[in-house]
Short mmCIF file of all heavy atoms in Angstrom, two decimals:
data_model
loop_
_atom_site.label_atom_id
_atom_site.label_comp_id
_atom_site.label_asym_id
_atom_site.label_seq_id
_atom_site.Cartn_x
_atom_site.Cartn_y
_atom_site.Cartn_z
N PHE A 11 -12.21 -3.22 -36.78
CA PHE A 11 -10.93 -3.65 -36.20
C PHE A 11 -10.67 -2.91 -34.90
O PHE A 11 -10.21 -3.52 -33.92
CB PHE A 11 -9.79 -3.39 -37.20
CG PHE A 11 -8.52 -4.11 -36.89
CD1 PHE A 11 -8.34 -5.42 -37.29
CD2 PHE A 11 -7.50 -3.48 -36.21
CE1 PHE A 11 -7.15 -6.09 -37.02
CE2 PHE A 11 -6.31 -4.13 -35.92
CZ PHE A 11 -6.13 -5.44 -36.33
N GLN A 12 -10.96 -1.62 -34.87
CA GLN A 12 -10.79 -0.86 -33.64
C GLN A 12 -11.69 -1.43 -32.54
O GLN A 12 -11.31 -1.45 -31.36
CB GLN A 12 -11.09 0.62 -33.88
CG GLN A 12 -10.09 1.29 -34.82
CD GLN A 12 -8.66 1.18 -34.29
OE1 GLN A 12 -8.38 1.61 -33.18
NE2 GLN A 12 -7.79 0.60 -35.09
N GLY A 13 -12.87 -1.92 -32.91
CA GLY A 13 -13.74 -2.57 -31.94
C GLY A 13 -13.13 -3.84 -31.39
O GLY A 13 -13.22 -4.12 -30.18
N LEU A 14 -12.48 -4.63 -32.24
CA LEU A 14 -11.79 -5.83 -31.77
C LEU A 14 -10.72 -5.48 -30.74
O LEU A 14 -10.45 -6.25 -29.82
CB LEU A 14 -11.14 -6.57 -32.94
CG LEU A 14 -12.04 -7.47 -33.78
CD1 LEU A 14 -11.32 -7.89 -35.06
CD2 LEU A 14 -12.46 -8.69 -32.97
N LEU A 15 -10.10 -4.32 -30.91
CA LEU A 15 -9.05 -3.87 -29.99
C LEU A 15 -9.63 -3.22 -28.73
O LEU A 15 -8.88 -2.69 -27.91
CB LEU A 15 -8.12 -2.88 -30.69
CG LEU A 15 -7.35 -3.43 -31.89
CD1 LEU A 15 -6.56 -2.30 -32.56
CD2 LEU A 15 -6.44 -4.57 -31.50
N GLY A 16 -10.93 -3.25 -28.58
CA GLY A 16 -11.55 -2.63 -27.42
C GLY A 16 -11.64 -1.12 -27.54
O GLY A 16 -11.80 -0.42 -26.53
N GLY A 17 -11.53 -0.61 -28.76
CA GLY A 17 -11.58 0.83 -28.97
C GLY A 17 -10.28 1.54 -28.67
O GLY A 17 -10.18 2.75 -28.82
N ALA A 18 -9.26 0.80 -28.25
CA ALA A 18 -7.98 1.41 -27.89
C ALA A 18 -7.11 1.60 -29.12
O ALA A 18 -7.20 0.85 -30.08
CB ALA A 18 -7.25 0.54 -26.87
N ALA A 19 -6.25 2.61 -29.08
CA ALA A 19 -5.32 2.85 -30.17
C ALA A 19 -4.00 3.37 -29.61
O ALA A 19 -3.96 4.10 -28.61
CB ALA A 19 -5.90 3.86 -31.16
N PHE A 20 -2.93 3.00 -30.28
CA PHE A 20 -1.60 3.47 -29.94
C PHE A 20 -1.48 4.97 -30.17
O PHE A 20 -1.89 5.47 -31.22
CB PHE A 20 -0.56 2.73 -30.79
CG PHE A 20 0.81 3.32 -30.74
CD1 PHE A 20 1.64 3.11 -29.66
CD2 PHE A 20 1.28 4.10 -31.79
CE1 PHE A 20 2.91 3.65 -29.61
CE2 PHE A 20 2.55 4.66 -31.75
CZ PHE A 20 3.37 4.43 -30.66
N TYR A 21 -0.92 5.69 -29.20
CA TYR A 21 -0.61 7.11 -29.38
C TYR A 21 0.91 7.30 -29.45
O TYR A 21 1.43 7.80 -30.42
CB TYR A 21 -1.21 7.94 -28.26
CG TYR A 21 -0.99 9.42 -28.45
CD1 TYR A 21 -1.87 10.17 -29.22
CD2 TYR A 21 0.11 10.08 -27.89
CE1 TYR A 21 -1.68 11.53 -29.43
CE2 TYR A 21 0.32 11.43 -28.09
CZ TYR A 21 -0.57 12.15 -28.85
OH TYR A 21 -0.37 13.50 -29.07
N ASP A 22 1.60 6.90 -28.37
CA ASP A 22 3.06 6.94 -28.39
C ASP A 22 3.60 6.09 -27.24
O ASP A 22 2.84 5.44 -26.51
CB ASP A 22 3.60 8.38 -28.34
CG ASP A 22 3.43 9.08 -26.99
OD1 ASP A 22 2.89 8.48 -26.04
OD2 ASP A 22 3.84 10.26 -26.90
N HIS A 23 4.90 6.10 -27.09
CA HIS A 23 5.55 5.42 -25.97
C HIS A 23 6.87 6.11 -25.71
O HIS A 23 7.40 6.82 -26.56
CB HIS A 23 5.77 3.93 -26.25
CG HIS A 23 6.65 3.66 -27.44
ND1 HIS A 23 8.03 3.79 -27.39
CD2 HIS A 23 6.36 3.30 -28.70
CE1 HIS A 23 8.54 3.51 -28.57
NE2 HIS A 23 7.54 3.22 -29.39
N GLY A 24 7.40 5.90 -24.54
CA GLY A 24 8.73 6.38 -24.21
C GLY A 24 9.75 5.30 -24.50
O GLY A 24 9.46 4.33 -25.21
N PRO A 25 10.95 5.43 -23.96
CA PRO A 25 11.96 4.41 -24.18
C PRO A 25 11.56 3.09 -23.54
O PRO A 25 10.77 3.06 -22.59
CB PRO A 25 13.21 4.99 -23.50
CG PRO A 25 12.66 5.94 -22.48
CD PRO A 25 11.40 6.51 -23.06
N SER A 26 12.08 2.02 -24.07
CA SER A 26 11.86 0.73 -23.43
C SER A 26 12.47 0.77 -22.04
O SER A 26 13.62 1.19 -21.87
CB SER A 26 12.50 -0.38 -24.27
OG SER A 26 12.14 -1.64 -23.78
N ARG A 27 11.70 0.38 -21.03
CA ARG A 27 12.17 0.51 -19.66
C ARG A 27 11.44 -0.48 -18.76
O ARG A 27 10.42 -1.02 -19.13
CB ARG A 27 11.95 1.93 -19.15
CG ARG A 27 10.47 2.36 -19.15
CD ARG A 27 10.38 3.86 -19.30
NE ARG A 27 9.04 4.39 -19.23
CZ ARG A 27 8.22 4.48 -20.29
NH1 ARG A 27 8.57 4.00 -21.45
NH2 ARG A 27 7.03 5.03 -20.16
N ASN A 28 12.00 -0.67 -17.58
CA ASN A 28 11.37 -1.56 -16.61
C ASN A 28 10.13 -0.92 -16.01
O ASN A 28 10.09 0.29 -15.79
CB ASN A 28 12.35 -1.91 -15.48
CG ASN A 28 13.34 -2.98 -15.89
OD1 ASN A 28 12.98 -3.95 -16.54
ND2 ASN A 28 14.59 -2.79 -15.50
N GLY A 29 9.15 -1.75 -15.76
CA GLY A 29 7.95 -1.35 -15.05
C GLY A 29 7.39 -2.57 -14.35
O GLY A 29 7.69 -3.72 -14.73
N VAL A 30 6.60 -2.36 -13.34
CA VAL A 30 5.99 -3.47 -12.61
C VAL A 30 4.58 -3.70 -13.16
O VAL A 30 3.73 -2.80 -13.11
CB VAL A 30 5.95 -3.21 -11.09
CG1 VAL A 30 5.16 -4.30 -10.38
CG2 VAL A 30 7.37 -3.11 -10.54
N VAL A 31 4.37 -4.88 -13.71
CA VAL A 31 3.07 -5.28 -14.23
C VAL A 31 2.31 -5.98 -13.11
O VAL A 31 2.87 -6.78 -12.36
CB VAL A 31 3.23 -6.22 -15.45
CG1 VAL A 31 1.88 -6.75 -15.92
CG2 VAL A 31 3.94 -5.49 -16.58
N GLU A 32 1.03 -5.66 -13.01
CA GLU A 32 0.19 -6.22 -11.96
C GLU A 32 -1.04 -6.89 -12.56
O GLU A 32 -1.70 -6.34 -13.43
CB GLU A 32 -0.25 -5.11 -11.01
CG GLU A 32 -1.02 -5.61 -9.81
CD GLU A 32 -1.22 -4.54 -8.76
OE1 GLU A 32 -0.89 -3.36 -9.02
OE2 GLU A 32 -1.71 -4.89 -7.67
N ARG A 33 -1.31 -8.10 -12.09
CA ARG A 33 -2.51 -8.80 -12.52
C ARG A 33 -3.74 -8.10 -11.95
O ARG A 33 -3.75 -7.72 -10.79
CB ARG A 33 -2.53 -10.25 -12.00
CG ARG A 33 -1.46 -11.12 -12.56
CD ARG A 33 -1.63 -12.57 -12.12
NE ARG A 33 -1.60 -12.72 -10.68
CZ ARG A 33 -2.39 -13.54 -9.98
NH1 ARG A 33 -3.29 -14.27 -10.58
NH2 ARG A 33 -2.29 -13.63 -8.68
N THR A 34 -4.78 -7.96 -12.76
CA THR A 34 -6.05 -7.43 -12.26
C THR A 34 -7.13 -8.51 -12.33
O THR A 34 -8.29 -8.25 -12.02
CB THR A 34 -6.49 -6.20 -13.07
OG1 THR A 34 -6.56 -6.54 -14.46
CG2 THR A 34 -5.52 -5.05 -12.88
N SER A 35 -6.75 -9.70 -12.75
CA SER A 35 -7.62 -10.87 -12.77
C SER A 35 -6.93 -11.96 -11.96
O SER A 35 -5.70 -12.05 -11.94
CB SER A 35 -7.85 -11.36 -14.21
OG SER A 35 -8.37 -12.66 -14.24
N ARG A 36 -7.73 -12.78 -11.31
CA ARG A 36 -7.16 -13.90 -10.55
C ARG A 36 -7.22 -15.21 -11.31
O ARG A 36 -6.42 -16.10 -11.08
CB ARG A 36 -7.91 -14.07 -9.22
CG ARG A 36 -7.73 -12.92 -8.25
CD ARG A 36 -8.50 -13.14 -6.95
NE ARG A 36 -9.95 -13.18 -7.18
CZ ARG A 36 -10.70 -14.27 -7.02
NH1 ARG A 36 -10.17 -15.40 -6.63
NH2 ARG A 36 -12.01 -14.22 -7.25
N ARG A 37 -8.20 -15.33 -12.24
CA ARG A 37 -8.46 -16.65 -12.81
C ARG A 37 -8.26 -16.76 -14.32
O ARG A 37 -8.31 -17.87 -14.85
CB ARG A 37 -9.91 -17.05 -12.49
CG ARG A 37 -10.20 -17.15 -10.99
CD ARG A 37 -11.61 -17.63 -10.74
NE ARG A 37 -12.59 -16.79 -11.39
CZ ARG A 37 -13.76 -17.22 -11.88
NH1 ARG A 37 -14.07 -18.49 -11.81
NH2 ARG A 37 -14.61 -16.37 -12.45
#
């Protein structure tokens, strides 16, 4: 399952807040 997630895992997060999301793919 961790492989399906790309090896990534949740550690923590701060408060819900605004951020600017940027595309790194065009297509």
Side-chain angles (χ1 to χ4, degrees):
F11 196 84
Q12 294 302 303
L14 279 168
L15 298 175
F20 168 77
Y21 184 86
D22 72 0
H23 60 77
S26 188
R27 60 207 184 274
N28 281 318
V30 173
V31 174
E32 185 169 8
R33 294 186 301 140
T34 56
S35 164
R36 294 179 296 113
R37 299 183 304 147

